Amino acid sequence: MKMKCVVHVEVIQHSNSNVEAKDLECLVDQELQDLGSVRPGQSMTSVQFTSDILKKNIISVKISESSELAHNYNLDPENLTNLSLDKVSLQFHTYRLEEEEIQSEQLNISSDGDNETISAANYCLLPHVSFHGIWENLIYDNNIKENLLDYASTSMIFSQYKVNTNVISWNRVILLYGPPGTGKTSLCKGLAQKLSIRLKKNYKIAEFIEINSHSLFSKYYSESGKLVMQMFSKIKEHLEYGESLVCVLIDEIESLTHARNACMNGAEPSDSIRVVNAILTQLDQIRRYPNVLILTTSNLKSAIDVAFVDRADLQIYVGPPSKRAIYEIFVSCLKELIRVNLIKLETEIDFLSVDCLSESEEKSDVNFTVSRELFEVAKSCDGLSGRILRKLPFLAYSSYSKSEKKSINNYIQALQSAVDQYRANNKSIFGVHCQ
């Protein structure tokens, strides 16, 4: 008998709701069964349900992305328009978004009678409202997101089943590297958020700690290594609870793990060697905890000490988006402007996939015309980072809002103008963005 594919259904519950999660899941299940099918990536607000209990107690419902289903079950994402519920298995995850402000973790430095307090890290409980939507809005045309989920889930499964790390070794360390602006940090935050939702039934709480790498370098000689050890001692305090999932992000890891051969050649002070040694020692100690995941990013992998790179179980290059991914990014931006009514449509637009636009036969319908125009803009953005691409729709709107004719075609023209203007203004440094 063919195994049914698992479709994850994420239900956001109101913070003031006192209804049991399992009861809400039963009601959502009933409503979805009445619909008969779900669409991968579909998001439904509470008003779309008929149950008064759901309308009062949930914010929204999100269905698995098509790329995740395609990756896990060898399906064609282009054909995943609707999934009949008699052919899938629904797995529910009901959660509330944490709304408390992100806290600062403080460390004390003492040297020659001087005392100083530094903000060494940021801390919050997950899933957090500030991370909401990050994962879904990261667009890549490869399996980066799905591979990260696979690794993290497998790592937690091995930990829960107490697999002997002396037999099968893994360090619970991920390294994402590549040029600035490609979404490495956002991927880490989105992954931590997604794991806190998907693994909610395995852990009572989920915590996120973002280490401020640069703050761990002290002006006092030999203190930096001690600061690293202090920081990891605080992390271990969170891990001791045992029933919490702790995700630790170290951004720009090269600043803490600069290659020791450069230090020994005199290019860097010897204090840097102590920092690298402290980081490696602490990573080796922390791997005994089954409930931790270390997420690291780097803009320059070649500058990282090889001993740290060897400790990273998963090393993924995150480069600038392809033309296909750029097009999907712009589609998501236009859909958002349409959703909030900043772009008003005379007729509903169904943006086509890149594969449909690549067909040799030209089509005259509005969906094809609008999609083709947007893809032409996407092609002119080759080499731009995701960070820049997400800004361009904002810059385009300033000129679009002043025009007399406010059609979607007019906005796409404004978007092309914004791209051209950006290139003209950044000719001297454009190579930086194209690395």
Side-chain angles (χ1 to χ4, degrees):
M1 189 169 109
K2 188 176 181 181
M3 182 183 70
K4 291 184 176 182
C5 69
V6 175
V7 174
H8 295 280
V9 182
E10 299 174 1
V11 182
I12 305 180
Q13 186 174 2
H14 274 296
S15 58
N16 59 357
S17 169
N18 55 13
V19 179
E20 291 287 334
K22 61 182 180 181
D23 295 329
L24 292 175
E25 290 169 4
C26 286
L27 289 171
V28 173
D29 188 33
Q30 289 174 16
E31 297 253 358
L32 294 179
Q33 296 297 335
D34 289 342
L35 291 175
S37 65
V38 291
R39 187 178 72 253
Q42 182 179 9
S43 185
M44 294 166 280
T45 60
S46 59
V47 296
Q48 293 175 269
F49 294 100
T50 60
S51 166
D52 289 335
I53 295 176
L54 290 180
K55 288 179 180 179
K56 292 177 182 176
N57 289 277
I58 71 166
I59 298 172
S60 64
V61 171
K62 178 76 176 178
I63 308 298
S64 297
E65 293 178 285
S66 58
S67 58
E68 182 182 2
L69 292 170
H71 172 76
N72 290 340
Y73 299 97
N74 197 28
L75 302 172
D76 181 2
E78 297 297 336
N79 294 328
L80 293 177
T81 51
N82 284 288
L83 297 172
S84 176
L85 291 184
D86 59 359
K87 296 179 180 178
V88 301
S89 175
L90 299 181
Q91 186 169 329
F92 290 90
H93 311 275
T94 300
Y95 64 97
R96 306 168 198 252
L97 289 170
E98 297 287 342
E99 298 179 353
E100 285 191 18
E101 287 189 14
I102 296 175
Q103 305 296 315
S104 177
E105 289 274 9
Q106 306 289 323
L107 294 181
N108 295 316
I109 308 174
S110 298
S111 182
D112 297 328
D114 292 334
N115 291 303
E116 183 181 350
T117 301
I118 62 168
S119 176
N122 293 322
Y123 167 85
C124 67
L125 291 175
L126 296 174
H128 197 273
V129 65
S130 64
F131 294 174
H132 180 57
I134 288 179
W135 185 259
E136 289 76 15
N137 286 295
L138 289 167
I139 298 172
Y140 301 94
D141 57 358
N142 50 29
N143 292 323
I144 288 178
K145 296 201 301 184
E146 290 70 36
N147 289 338
L148 285 170
L149 271 179
D150 287 347
Y151 167 80
S153 299
T154 302
S155 179
M156 296 304 141
I157 289 170
F158 272 45
S159 296
Q160 288 169 1
Y161 279 83
K162 296 181 171 56
V163 174
N164 189 333
T165 56
N166 293 320
V167 178
I168 299 178
S169 177
W170 76 102
N171 294 307
R172 303 182 186 86
V173 177
I174 294 172
L175 171 62
L176 303 182
Y177 64 96
T182 52
K184 300 182 295 296
T185 303
S186 295
L187 266 172
C188 292
K189 292 179 177 179
L191 176 62
Q193 180 93 334
K194 186 63 69 174
L195 291 175
S196 72
I197 296 167
R198 296 284 178 88
L199 301 176
K200 193 175 190 307
K201 292 173 183 175
N202 302 88
Y203 300 95
K204 286 188 176 179
I205 62 171
E207 303 172 89
F208 180 78
I209 301 171
E210 181 178 6
I211 295 176
N212 182 356
S213 303
H214 300 287
S215 69
L216 297 183
F217 279 99
S218 172
K219 63 184 178 182
Y220 304 112
Y221 182 74
S222 80
E223 285 293 319
S224 299
K226 294 177 184 177
L227 283 175
V228 169
M229 289 188 284
Q230 275 191 56
M231 185 69 252
F232 274 86
S233 291
K234 282 187 172 288
I235 293 172
K236 289 171 188 174
E237 290 175 11
H238 292 276
L239 291 170
E240 291 290 350
Y241 175 55
E243 296 188 33
S244 63
L245 170 65
V246 181
C247 295
V248 180
L249 169 61
I250 310 176
D251 222 356
E252 297 182 15
I253 189 66
E254 68 270 21
S255 64
L256 286 177
T257 58
H258 196 71
R260 283 173 293 184
N261 57 356
C263 303
M264 289 183 283
N265 290 334
E268 295 288 340
S270 59
D271 203 27
S272 296
I273 298 177
R274 291 187 176 89
V275 173
V276 177
N277 290 338
I279 285 280
L280 297 176
T281 299
Q282 294 304 311
L283 285 177
D284 290 340
Q285 291 179 7
I286 211 170
R287 69 191 290 269
R288 69 182 176 87
Y289 291 93
N291 54 329
V292 65
L293 186 64
I294 307 292
L295 309 165
T296 68
T297 72
S298 173
N299 295 330
L300 194 61
K301 183 185 176 185
S302 60
I304 305 174
D305 193 273
V306 66
F308 176 85
V309 175
D310 285 345
R311 282 167 171 79
D313 303 320
L314 195 63
Q315 303 169 29
I316 298 180
Y317 173 75
V318 185
S322 66
K323 296 183 185 71
R324 179 187 293 264
I326 294 170
Y327 171 74
E328 294 298 333
I329 289 171
F330 282 157
V331 167
S332 71
C333 292
L334 261 68
K335 284 183 176 179
E336 177 63 12
L337 291 174
I338 292 168
R339 183 188 72 83
V340 299
N341 225 20
L342 284 175
I343 293 179
K344 296 179 174 63
L345 300 179
E346 295 179 2
T347 180
E348 189 174 339
I349 299 293
D350 184 16
F351 292 96
L352 304 181
S353 69
V354 171
D355 290 334
C356 292
L357 299 176
S358 302
E359 294 173 1
S360 56
E361 183 181 349
E362 289 279 341
K363 299 176 183 178
S364 58
D365 65 275
V366 65
N367 293 332
F368 183 87
T369 303
V370 169
S371 300
R372 173 59 72 85
E373 287 179 5
L374 188 60
F375 185 54
E376 290 301 316
V377 178
K379 288 196 291 186
S380 72
C381 296
D382 190 31
L384 296 181
S385 72
R387 181 182 295 144
I388 294 167
L389 293 169
R390 292 285 181 184
K391 292 178 182 178
L392 290 171
F394 169 83
L395 298 173
Y397 194 83
S398 60
S399 59
Y400 167 77
S401 61
K402 298 172 187 173
S403 62
E404 292 182 9
K405 185 181 179 182
K406 290 184 172 59
S407 66
I408 190 168
N409 302 83
N410 183 252
Y411 177 79
I412 293 173
Q413 290 173 13
L415 184 58
Q416 181 65 71
S417 297
V419 174
D420 296 339
Q421 187 65 50
Y422 178 83
R423 286 186 178 277
N425 291 344
N426 295 276
K427 276 184 178 179
S428 61
I429 61 168
F430 191 70
V432 174
H433 303 300
C434 290
Q435 288 179 8

